[in-house]
Amino acid sequence: MTKKTIASGEPLKLAVVGHTNTGKTSILRTLLRDVYFGEVKNEAATTRHVEQAQLTDNQTGEVLVALYDTPGLEDASGLMDWLEDNTASRRDGIERLQQFLASDIAQGVDHSDNYDYSQEAKVIRQLLASDMAIYVVDAREPVLGKYKDELAILSWAAIPVMPVFNFTDSQDANIDEWQTMLARRNLHISTRFDSVAFEFEDEMRLWKNLSTMLTHSEMLEQLMQRRTENWAQLSDEANIIIADFLINVAAFVREINDSDDPMPVLAQMQEAVRQSERAMQHNLLNLYKFYDNAVAATPLELQAYQQDPFDPELLKSYGIRTTSGAAAGALLGLGVDAAALGTTLGLGAAIGGIAGGLLSNTSSIADRITGIKRLYIDPATLTLLATRSIDLLTALRHRGHAATDATQLIYKGAKNNSESDENEDDNSVTPWPTHKLPSELKKARGKPQWSSLSSGKSEQAQLLRADMAWSLSAKLQSYNHD
């Protein structure tokens, strides 16, 4: 393969290189939004061959960047010694690298001195065929001589090389020491891109810095514009998914006769809400291309998302309270008609007050005559469902596709429920006070036909609540933690 100078309109050929086990494949997974690309393990030399992937314009199908995942450099110091002993220093770097590629040790067939630089040869071949390279640095690693030798060899390829710091969210990061060493090698442009603790701004900075090193950067500018548009569109779609779910639950109502035992119906309603929340969570995972399977742990494996939304301790951990000031965690999340009682009572309070007539909730005189009771999901539980949905969305937007541990999704500033003080309402991170539901959810209370949980008619109900879901989604945008 021979390198061609990039011209206007051609896709950028970008080689991803670095020492073994620095996270090259991890970075590509996150850039590609693909949990299946390559193989990610916490061990050396996972990638053994050059793997190609492409970033395209999703509107035109045009290939903007061709990415090449290369094997790790395992013994750059040994290769540097061989180059100094076997190639002429008066030749330029490309000539010396080409001489190495023509040698037996580059093919892995010279075993006289146990030399085998076939992995390094794969990297160098791709390097010479590329327009530029990013050199992946594990920011947790100290600056060692072997890394200096790697950079010296890479510089001989005579293409722009930009160091990219991975795992920058670690407390053990040594970025200052690395930047000092890089500056001494005339590498003054670098960037941070954590493949696990993802920040969209870091990705945009990566492409921007690369574009400053090119004569023709049209493809990267087009890529940045398209990915920015796509990122915003994902947020819009995610908030509509959440809003549609909340309105579907808010409109959920079941009627029972005055003499009926409410417990079986209430249990059925709880289970329907659980299944609906799980479906919503899976829709968010799929939207952001995180799949609930064995490839990588997903956010849903965290205890916070496994916990039953009707668990009293979960509501208490979010500091959610009823208008009466009682801990909402004491309720089971199912209320009676607020229009009739002037407030909404949880199931615990309602069942406890049967003798006092608290369950004789009716919204009209006709209901009182016929003895009908209407059961709804109470505002405390709606608020919890909204809060947990927004938290999940924020986690997904800050999770790299290389994350293999469910706990790796925690983003900066995330709320630790165990730290909440149930005696202080100000600590609540809910999007709204429990007694001040958004107007869209209040309106849904009187529209049981909007809920597929009530009517069983999924498509029809979704069409009926579509406008309200769109309106609520705009409000949810302002509650997001991004």
Side-chain angles (χ1 to χ4, degrees), residues 404-417:
T404 56
D405 184 345
T407 60
Q408 289 174 323
L409 68 89
I410 300 301
Y411 53 92
K412 295 177 181 178
K415 174 180 178 289
N416 183 352
N417 290 341

Side-chain angles (χ1 to χ4, degrees), residues 273-274 277-278 281 299-318 329 384-385 388 417-418:
V273 172
R274 291 188 192 100
E277 184 190 32
R278 185 72 180 186
Q281 292 171 335
L300 295 186
E301 294 181 43
L302 275 186
Q303 183 179 0
Y305 298 106
Q306 290 180 335
Q307 201 165 354
D308 185 353
F310 298 101
D311 184 339
E313 293 303 316
L314 183 60
L315 284 105
K316 188 185 299 183
S317 72
Y318 276 91
L384 169 66
L385 293 172
R388 192 153 73 161
N417 290 341
S418 64

Side-chain angles (χ1 to χ4, degrees), residues 132-149:
M132 64 190 317
I134 59 175
Y135 175 71
V136 181
V137 176
D138 184 339
R140 302 167 297 186
E141 284 288 298
V143 178
L144 302 175
K146 60 183 178 182
Y147 302 128
K148 299 176 184 178
D149 288 336

Side-chain angles (χ1 to χ4, degrees), residues 325-343:
L331 310 179
L332 294 183
L334 288 156
V336 296
D337 191 350
L341 298 180
T343 184

Side-chain angles (χ1 to χ4, degrees), residues 221-432:
E221 291 168 0
Q222 183 177 344
L223 178 69
M224 286 187 284
Q225 178 182 351
R226 192 67 70 230
R227 287 177 86 83
T228 299
E229 293 170 353
N230 293 343
W231 192 245
Q233 182 179 351
L234 281 176
S235 178
D236 291 342
E237 293 178 7
N239 281 289
I240 289 176
I241 288 173
I242 295 172
D244 181 77
F245 157 71
L246 292 174
I247 292 175
N248 195 28
V249 173
F252 187 19
V253 60
R254 290 286 298 275
E255 295 182 352
I256 61 173
N257 293 321
D258 186 59
S259 58
D260 289 345
D261 179 4
M263 291 305 293
V265 176
L266 296 175
Q268 292 171 9
M269 293 181 73
Q270 287 182 333
E271 184 56 30
V273 172
R274 291 188 192 100
Q275 293 181 15
S276 182
E277 184 190 32
R278 185 72 180 186
M280 178 276 298
Q281 292 171 335
H282 279 290
N283 287 338
L284 289 181
L285 285 172
N286 291 334
L287 180 66
Y288 282 88
K289 298 184 179 179
F290 293 101
Y291 307 105
D292 196 12
N293 56 27
V295 174
T298 70
L300 295 186
E301 294 181 43
L302 275 186
Q303 183 179 0
Y305 298 106
Q306 290 180 335
Q307 201 165 354
D308 185 353
F310 298 101
D311 184 339
E313 293 303 316
L314 183 60
L315 284 105
K316 188 185 299 183
S317 72
Y318 276 91
I320 297 175
R321 306 181 185 284
T322 62
T323 54
S324 64
L331 310 179
L332 294 183
L334 288 156
V336 296
D337 191 350
L341 298 180
T343 184
T344 299
L345 300 174
L347 176 63
I351 296 298
I354 286 179
L358 292 181
L359 261 183
S360 60
N361 54 308
T362 57
S363 59
S364 68
I365 295 176
D367 287 342
R368 291 174 184 160
I369 294 174
T370 57
I372 292 176
K373 299 184 181 69
R374 289 193 174 97
L375 301 176
Y376 298 88
I377 305 303
D378 69 354
T381 301
L382 283 172
T383 303
L384 169 66
L385 293 172
T387 305
R388 192 153 73 161
S389 301
I390 292 170
D391 284 352
L392 175 59
L393 173 56
T394 304
L396 292 175
R397 290 176 68 82
H398 291 271
R399 176 179 172 86
H401 285 70
T404 56
D405 184 345
T407 60
Q408 289 174 323
L409 68 89
I410 300 301
Y411 53 92
K412 295 177 181 178
K415 174 180 178 289
N416 183 352
N417 290 341
S418 64
E419 295 176 356
S420 65
D421 184 350
E422 60 184 62
N423 295 318
E424 295 185 19
D425 292 334
D426 292 341
N427 282 349
S428 174
V429 293
T430 58
W432 50 72

